[in-house]
Amino acid sequence: LHKEYRRQRQMCIRDSSNADWPPAGCPPLAWPDLPDQAARLNWYLAAIGAYGALWEGHVNEPELTPVSEDALQALEQRLGCPLPRSLRDYHRQLGVLSLAEVLCSVGPGHTPIQPLLEAYPGIVEISDVDLILAGKLVAFGDYLGNGNLFCFHRESGAVYYFDHDTGAALTRFFDSPEEYLDTLMLLCLAEVYDDDDAAEALISQRYGEDLVRKWRY
C-alpha cells in the first residue's frame, strides 16, 4: 500500500528526466558528512531546495516558514514538555511541513503537533498497544496522511513509529528526531533522483532492513 502510494505520488510531480536535472546545488543521494549543526542546516536547505524544484508550482511545493519563539513556547506549554532540540531547531530555522512525508505544524492546524492519544484516539481500542508508552508519546510527523504517525518520547526524545495497519503498533525507530529528519532529507533526494531503491539501501545499511520494511512497506 505504501509503495503504491509513493508510485502514484511520483506520477504527479515534475518530469525529472531532462538533461538539466538534477537542479543546480542538489546534493548527491548519499549520507553526508555533517561535522556540526551548521553543516546539517546547509544540507537540509540544499535538499529542500532541490525538492522544491521538483514540486515547483504544485500544491505540495515546500515553503520555508520558520516558527517564532513565542509559538514554540506556546506549543511546549500546551504539551507540558519541551520539544527535542533538533525538532525545535528545525521549526525555528526552517518550518517546512510538506516534504517526502508531512511534518505536523507547531500552531493549530490540520495536523498539529499533539499527544499521540489526541492525534489518534482510536489507539485505545488496539488490543496489544502499550498505553503507558503511548501516553508518553507526542506526534510530530504524519507520514502519508493515513493515520500512521512519527512520535517523540516526552522524556527520552526517542522516535517511535505508530502503525495502525500491520504488525506492532509502536516501534522504536530512532534515538532522536534528528535521525528522522536526516532520513527524511534522504527520502526527499530519492524523489529528486527518482531512486527509492538507492535511498532504502542507504537507510537499511544504517538502521537495518526491519526498519525499512516496517516503515516503507
Side-chain angles (χ1 to χ4, degrees), residues 6 9-10 13 16 21-23 26-30 43-55 60 62 90 96-103 180-196 199-200 203 215-216:
R6 292 193 297 273
R9 174 182 167 94
Q10 192 72 23
I13 60 180
S16 59
W21 199 260
C26 178
L29 181 52
W43 182 53
Y44 283 11
L45 285 167
I48 291 169
Y51 189 77
L54 183 68
W55 286 90
N60 287 332
Y90 176 88
V96 182
L97 301 180
S98 180
L99 292 167
E101 296 182 359
V102 176
L103 293 174
Y180 169 77
L181 292 168
D182 286 356
T183 309
L184 179 58
M185 295 303 145
L186 198 71
L187 294 176
C188 288
L189 292 173
E191 287 196 19
V192 172
Y193 286 95
D194 191 14
D195 197 345
D196 275 353
E200 289 178 3
I203 297 168
W215 183 358
R216 305 281 287 174

Side-chain angles (χ1 to χ4, degrees), residues 160-180:
Y160 286 78
Y161 180 53
F162 168 61
D163 176 6
H164 65 83
D165 291 328
T166 57
L170 294 172
T171 305
R172 179 169 171 150
F173 264 28
F174 304 110
D175 290 338
S176 73
E178 183 173 88
E179 291 182 289
Y180 169 77

Side-chain angles (χ1 to χ4, degrees), residues 5-185:
Y5 175 91
R6 292 193 297 273
R7 187 192 67 80
Q8 293 178 3
R9 174 182 167 94
Q10 192 72 23
M11 293 171 62
C12 297
I13 60 180
R14 179 176 174 176
D15 179 15
S16 59
S17 61
N18 63 70
D20 296 328
W21 199 260
C26 178
L29 181 52
W31 291 114
D33 180 23
L34 300 173
D36 52 40
Q37 291 305 310
R40 174 168 275 104
L41 176 61
N42 288 335
W43 182 53
Y44 283 11
L45 285 167
I48 291 169
Y51 189 77
L54 183 68
W55 286 90
E56 184 177 2
H58 192 277
V59 66
N60 287 332
E61 182 178 355
E63 180 180 357
L64 292 172
T65 52
V67 176
S68 70
E69 179 64 25
D70 286 347
L72 288 164
Q73 290 182 6
L75 171 62
E76 291 173 332
Q77 186 173 10
R78 289 196 300 273
L79 295 175
C81 70
L83 293 177
R85 180 62 179 271
S86 55
L87 186 63
R88 198 180 204 280
D89 286 348
Y90 176 88
H91 284 289
R92 182 175 58 84
Q93 296 168 329
L94 302 172
V96 182
L97 301 180
S98 180
L99 292 167
E101 296 182 359
V102 176
L103 293 174
C104 300
S105 62
V106 168
H110 179 61
T111 53
I113 296 174
Q114 60 186 325
L116 174 59
L117 295 179
E118 295 177 17
Y120 197 89
I123 192 173
V124 298
E125 299 175 5
I126 301 176
S127 60
D128 62 346
V129 73
D130 182 345
L131 290 178
I132 294 177
L133 173 60
K136 296 180 180 180
L137 299 180
V138 176
F140 72 91
D142 194 32
Y143 185 42
L144 300 178
N146 64 350
N148 290 357
L149 301 163
F150 279 97
C151 311
F152 68 81
H153 193 285
R154 291 173 175 272
E155 299 166 5
S156 69
V159 172
Y160 286 78
Y161 180 53
F162 168 61
D163 176 6
H164 65 83
D165 291 328
T166 57
L170 294 172
T171 305
R172 179 169 171 150
F173 264 28
F174 304 110
D175 290 338
S176 73
E178 183 173 88
E179 291 182 289
Y180 169 77
L181 292 168
D182 286 356
T183 309
L184 179 58
M185 295 303 145

